[in-house]
């Protein structure tokens, strides 16, 4: 390692101001700080010196995402193999999954990275390590069948309009990965929702197995008619709680396995990177809203309203959203009290949009985006209340 | 009752004057630099809308629409071509009252709103609310609720925008986009998020 550090330090003179490659300093800086902590540190004064800089901070989120990603790759492949009636052993599923996932990941990083570097070079800021996380999250929240040009378009919108026009990581107010996905969702609804997009069918149409439907549990649940119960229909279609918990069903690439997401959540909470207040708040909000629906909706209403909280937590992108998206430290509010409010409202809104908005089968993405918009306001109100409490003490 | 709640929720979230209809953008973009001013303007809009919509409803119902003058003995008179000018005069009068009251009781807010307070008179969302009320043929109670909740939707949007802009003080926006440009982008992103509500049907 010493050898690498010496090599890098020797090259630094070309990149600092006045050097030949001065313009490309952000690139050098990115390579340098990904290996070693920065050389620009305070020498004197009462500062807290900690090795946890933004890069180390973000890399923990990436680590937390790894189980989800690994399982997502396997599951995307598995669903394709199942639909085609092909061999479903682990190796062939993973290979098939890699064939689906790697192009999406590569395009995300190539195109998103391109914008990052362009902005870093021309605006003279450092390459934001936040992109590493956005670039990991984005491929996990798209359906496996997404065309690659849409991946490029979505991540471009997310990075440029969602983040870079505000000056880069830490200055945006919406989660960039979610912004990109919402943009795609509203621009190309046919590619982002419906029954056909969640499983890549690799074989010819007539060879697809008869039992294959491609519908996600949420889509099935939303269409259940009055006399039947949702749980009954889901069970009939082969979905059970344990099946939903482990995640072997069709959906966005990374969202299906609650187990892997919980592993990531454990790491985020243990290291203090992700706010447990937001996560717990969201779960509480979701449970609360589902219970309200369960109790107050009459017998004639949608059976979906009677579905219990546990099912709601297991289905769709709820867990993924609240663990990895809602806890984004940039777009979430900063104060402890506002984190609770923010989390609760995300849970409540997600269930409302999911159950009583026929336009969208899933509500977590939109609920988080909406609360991102309200986050500064929640912070402001909570802060004002605190200030008001203190004023009498001062005077 | 359920009807009225429905109208209120619809006007606040699904058909938000600002973020779904894009009405009343000028003062929204100009007066949203801090939450205090924004909530002052928002409150003024709630007040003006809450009064003018039912007032215009009464004018329209008893004087302007076809056959409205039957109670005076002119069943064939149709004054509906006067709708625009009548609505606008009501609004202008109301705004004048708000201005006088605000100058007297809250001079600081009056000063910080500046020209945008009298400009509420030509705020499209207020005339828009009155015209929606006429077009959708609301009754009196519906019109009142619609006016108040449209105003509240506008209030919510401008206060949220102001909070975001307070956060944006730490942003590093490219020179060409500073001010107006970035505000339009923020508004666009906000209304993208507000799309969450479109399509919800209540009860």
């Amino acid at each position: 390692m010493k050898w690498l550090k010496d090599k890098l330090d020797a090259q630094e003179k070309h990149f600092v101001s006045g050097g030949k490659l001065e313009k490309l300093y952000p690139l050098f800086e990115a390579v340098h700080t990904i290996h070693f902590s920065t050389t620009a540190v305070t020498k004197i004064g009462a500062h807290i010196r900690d090795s946890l800089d933004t890069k180390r901070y973000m890399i923990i989120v990436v680590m937390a995402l790894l189980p989800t990603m690994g399982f997502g790759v396997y599951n995307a492949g598995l669903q394709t193999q199942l639909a085609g009636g092909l061999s479903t052993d682990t190796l062939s599923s993973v290979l098939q999954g890699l064939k689906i996932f790697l192009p999406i990941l590569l395009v995300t990083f190539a195109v998103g990275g391109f914008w990052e570097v362009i902005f870093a070079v021309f605006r003279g800021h450092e390459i934001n390590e936040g992109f590493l996380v956005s670039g990991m999250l984005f491929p996990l929240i798209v359906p496996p069948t997404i065309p690659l040009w849409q991946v490029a378009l979505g991540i471009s919108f997310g990075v440029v309009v969602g983040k870079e026009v505000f000056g880069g990581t830490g200055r945006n107010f919406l989660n960039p990965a979610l912004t990109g996905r919402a943009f795609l969702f509203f621009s190309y609804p046919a590619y982002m929702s419906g029954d056909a997009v969640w499983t890549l069918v690799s074989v010819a149409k007539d060879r697809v197995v008869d039992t294959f439907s491609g519908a996600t549990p949420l889509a099935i649940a939303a269409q259940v008619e009055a006399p039947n119960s949702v749980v009954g229909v889901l069970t009939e279609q082969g979905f059970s709680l344990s099946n939903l918990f482990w995640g072997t069903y069709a959906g966005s690439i990374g969202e299906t396995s609650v187990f892997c997401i919980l592993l990531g959540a454990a790491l985020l909470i243990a290291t203090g990177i992700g706010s447990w207040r937001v996560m717990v708040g969201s779960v509480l909000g979701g449970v609360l809203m589902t219970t309200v629906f369960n109790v107050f909706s009459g017998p004639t209403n949608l059976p979906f309203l009677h579905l219990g909280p546990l099912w709601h937590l297991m289905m769709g992108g709820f867990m993924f959203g609240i663990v990895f998206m809602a806890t984004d430290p940039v777009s979430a509010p900063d104060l402890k009290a506002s984190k609770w409010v923010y989390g609760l409202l995300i849970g409540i809104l997600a269930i409302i949009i999911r159950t009583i908005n026929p336009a969208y089968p899933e509500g977590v993405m939109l609920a988080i985006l909406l609360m991102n918009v309200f986050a500064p306001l929640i912070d402001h109100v909570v802060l004002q209340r605190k200030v008001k409490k203190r004023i009498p003490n001062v005077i | 009752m359920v009807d009225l709640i429905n109208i209120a929720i619809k006007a606040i979230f699904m058909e938000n004057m600002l973020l779904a209809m894009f009405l009343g953008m000028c003062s929204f973009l100009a007066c949203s630099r801090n939450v205090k001013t924004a909530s002052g303007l928002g409150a003024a809009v709630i007040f003006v809308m809450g009064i003018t919509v039912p007032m215009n409803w009464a004018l329209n119902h008893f004087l302007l629409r076809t056959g409205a003058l039957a109670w005076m003995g002119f069943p064939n008179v149709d004054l509906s071509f006067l709708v625009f000018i009548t609505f606008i005069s009501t609004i202008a009068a109301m705004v004048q009252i708000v201005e006088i009251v605000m100058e007297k009781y809250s001079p600081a807010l009056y000063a910080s709103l500046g020209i945008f307070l009298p400009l509420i008179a030509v705020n499209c969302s207020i005339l828009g609310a009155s015209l929606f009320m006429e077009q959708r043929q609301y009754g009196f109670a519906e019109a009142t609720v619609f006016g108040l909740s449209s105003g509240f939707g506008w209030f919510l949007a401008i206060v949220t925008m102001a909070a975001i802009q307070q956060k944006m003080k730490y942003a590093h926006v490219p020179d060409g986009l500073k001010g107006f440009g970035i505000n339009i982008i923020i508004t666009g992103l906000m209304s993208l998020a507000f799309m969450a509500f479109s399509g919800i049907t209540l009860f």
Side-chain angles (χ1 to χ4, degrees):
Chain A
M1 288 312 262
K2 181 84 173 69
W3 173 81
L4 186 62
K5 186 164 168 55
D6 289 344
K7 277 273 178 212
L8 278 171
D9 287 349
Q11 297 301 318
E12 188 167 4
K13 64 176 184 289
H14 300 300
F15 293 97
V16 291
S17 65
K20 276 183 292 186
L21 300 169
E22 182 191 342
K23 279 263 173 233
L24 295 178
Y25 179 74
L27 276 176
F28 170 78
E29 199 270 348
V31 174
H32 188 269
T33 54
I34 212 163
H35 292 96
F36 303 102
S37 63
T38 174
T39 46
V41 292
T42 57
K43 299 278 191 294
I44 52 161
H47 292 99
I48 296 173
R49 294 180 184 78
D50 195 305
S51 53
L52 187 72
D53 55 1
T54 330
K55 254 185 191 107
R56 261 35 75 174
Y57 193 91
M58 294 297 183
I59 210 77
I60 292 180
V61 183
V62 173
M63 283 186 215
L65 275 168
L66 284 178
T68 318
M69 194 176 83
F71 184 82
V73 169
Y74 163 73
N75 186 46
L78 178 70
Q79 296 305 323
T80 301
Q81 301 289 85
L82 280 176
L86 305 169
S87 130
T88 56
D89 62 90
T90 314
L91 184 68
S92 46
S93 295
V94 168
L95 284 180
Q96 178 66 42
L98 284 175
K99 249 194 332 200
I100 296 169
F101 184 71
L102 277 186
I104 300 179
L105 188 73
L106 286 179
V107 169
T108 308
F109 271 101
V111 177
F114 167 78
W115 288 114
E116 250 339 293
V117 172
I118 293 269
F119 272 87
V121 168
F122 282 96
R123 307 216 51 219
H125 64 60
E126 290 158 8
I127 290 179
N128 295 137
E129 29 299 296
F131 172 67
L132 210 57
V133 176
S134 303
M136 286 280 280
L137 284 173
F138 187 76
L140 294 178
I141 53 175
V142 293
T145 55
I146 187 168
L148 292 179
W149 62 269
Q150 280 184 17
V151 175
L153 194 64
I155 193 70
S156 299
F157 188 87
V159 168
V160 176
V161 181
K163 188 172 79 178
E164 287 298 338
V165 293
F166 299 108
T169 301
R171 286 153 170 162
N172 47 317
F173 74 102
L174 291 182
N175 184 321
L178 270 188
T179 314
R181 195 200 192 273
F183 174 75
L184 287 182
F185 181 77
F186 289 119
S187 309
Y188 307 101
Y191 291 92
M192 299 297 283
S193 50
D195 289 350
V197 303
W198 306 108
T199 307
L200 183 80
V201 177
S202 60
V203 294
K205 239 187 191 133
D206 52 323
R207 289 188 44 212
V208 173
V209 293
D210 293 338
T211 50
F212 171 72
S213 82
T216 59
L218 273 176
I220 296 169
Q223 281 160 3
V224 175
E225 301 270 331
N228 305 314
S229 82
V230 175
V231 177
V233 174
L234 281 176
T235 317
E236 215 170 88
Q237 305 254 7
F239 296 105
S240 62
L241 271 181
S242 77
N243 176 310
L244 294 174
F245 178 75
W246 297 107
T248 47
Y249 63 98
S252 288
I253 295 173
E255 71 173 13
T256 54
S257 172
V258 176
F259 175 69
C260 292
I261 293 165
L262 287 180
L263 284 184
L267 180 64
L268 288 182
I269 292 174
T271 50
I273 303 283
S275 160
W276 62 270
R277 290 184 181 84
V278 172
M279 297 185 205
V280 175
S282 306
V283 171
L284 282 182
V287 171
L288 183 83
M289 201 62 222
T290 327
T291 318
V292 167
F293 278 145
N294 286 345
V295 173
F296 289 103
S297 58
T300 52
N301 290 8
L302 261 135
F304 198 11
L305 293 177
H306 292 287
L307 190 62
L310 198 55
W311 284 87
H312 267 295
L313 295 184
M314 297 288 166
M315 286 199 297
F318 193 91
M319 289 310 271
F320 189 88
I322 65 169
V323 170
F324 294 113
M325 297 295 195
T327 54
D328 171 10
V330 179
S331 53
D334 302 322
L335 302 168
K336 283 176 190 162
S338 19
K339 281 188 175 149
W340 281 110
V341 178
Y342 170 83
L344 273 172
L345 285 173
I346 286 181
I348 292 174
L349 278 171
I351 299 295
I352 291 183
I353 298 171
R354 196 185 253 191
T355 45
I356 65 175
N357 191 341
Y360 315 126
E362 174 60 300
V364 179
M365 167 185 81
L366 292 164
I368 297 174
L369 265 186
L370 194 72
M371 289 322 293
N372 281 175
V373 166
F374 284 114
L377 185 63
I378 301 175
D379 256 351
H380 178 85
V381 172
V382 171
L383 192 66
Q384 289 304 316
R385 284 178 62 109
K386 284 200 169 163
V387 170
K388 247 186 211 142
K389 250 187 222 162
R390 280 183 193 168
I391 284 173
N393 301 342
V394 178
I395 303 168
Chain B
M1 195 58 205
V2 170
D3 257 26
L4 296 182
I5 295 173
N6 226 339
I7 286 178
I9 292 178
K10 220 169 153 186
I12 295 172
F13 294 111
M14 289 149 233
E15 291 172 2
N16 188 297
M17 276 292 169
L18 257 170
L19 298 171
M21 302 285 184
F22 297 105
L23 291 173
M25 293 283 285
C26 20
S27 29
F28 171 75
L29 291 173
C31 274
S32 50
R33 225 147 290 151
N34 75 66
V35 175
K36 221 172 164 189
T37 321
S39 51
L41 188 67
V45 167
I46 296 183
F47 181 75
V48 173
M49 265 198 203
I51 301 235
T52 54
V53 174
M55 218 155 123
N56 284 335
W57 178 87
L59 285 174
N60 185 44
H61 196 79
F62 293 115
L63 295 175
L64 300 176
R65 65 188 180 127
T66 330
L69 287 173
W71 59 277
M72 278 169 98
F74 305 109
N76 295 324
V77 176
D78 177 10
L79 290 178
S80 53
F81 64 94
L82 289 176
V83 156
F84 285 94
I85 198 156
T86 321
F87 284 8
I88 271 292
S89 349
T90 327
I91 292 166
M94 272 328 293
V95 171
Q96 200 60 49
I97 294 173
V98 171
E99 209 184 330
I100 293 168
V101 171
M102 202 180 272
E103 192 179 6
K104 169 88 174 130
Y105 291 104
S106 175
L109 183 60
Y110 180 77
S112 64
L113 288 176
I115 187 66
F116 289 98
L117 187 57
L119 276 184
I120 296 182
V122 286
N123 187 323
C124 2
S125 63
I126 293 176
L127 181 61
S130 286
L131 292 174
F132 278 133
M133 172 272 297
E134 186 221 353
Q135 192 188 36
R136 295 176 190 168
Q137 306 192 319
Y138 285 143
F140 181 73
E142 285 168 330
T144 315
V145 170
F146 177 72
L148 282 172
S149 44
S150 290
F152 184 74
W154 201 91
F155 172 86
L156 192 68
I158 194 172
V159 172
T160 315
M161 175 71 170
I164 292 175
Q165 283 206 28
Q166 281 186 353
K167 191 182 176 184
M168 286 295 121
K169 276 185 193 140
Y170 304 102
H172 177 55
V173 178
D175 287 338
L177 276 177
K178 268 187 187 135
F180 210 65
I182 198 72
N183 288 355
I184 291 280
I185 291 181
I186 295 175
T187 314
L189 290 175
M190 278 170 76
S191 74
L192 182 79
F194 259 72
M195 293 275 281
F197 296 111
S198 69
I200 292 185
T201 43
L202 288 159
F203 314 115

